[in-house]
Amino acid sequence: DLLVSDVVMPSLGGVPLLGEVRRDVPDLPAVLMSGYSDALVAADDDDDAAAGIVYVAKPFVADDLARAAAAALAARGAARRS
């Protein structure tokens, strides 16, 4: 399973959304995207990659999204094996 969401949304942004979902699925990996570079910088955290959270800047192509999804899934898999 993988959560894919925009960072900036009208009522609940991607980061708070992930927090809500992770109450039920604590190790759910995520790809968060934004067309606003400042939103990505504000959301990005050094521990995010280890927590299975990968950020993608819009616009992107399908290969970018596929790489981000693979990275998020791999990070969570590595964390589970640790």
Side-chain angles (χ1 to χ4, degrees), residues 21 25 28 32 50 63:
V21 172
V25 187
L28 183 70
L32 300 177
D63 284 345

Side-chain angles (χ1 to χ4, degrees), residues 10-62:
S11 60
L12 182 66
V15 175
L17 171 64
L18 179 59
E20 291 291 322
V21 172
R22 280 190 166 177
R23 288 182 185 180
D24 293 324
V25 187
D27 61 348
L28 183 70
V31 174
L32 300 177
M33 63 193 87
S34 180
Y36 303 100
S37 60
D38 55 336
L40 290 177
V41 170
D44 199 6
D45 183 275
D46 290 338
D47 296 328
D48 285 347
I53 304 170
V54 177
Y55 295 92
V56 178
K58 293 192 285 185
F60 55 83
V61 296

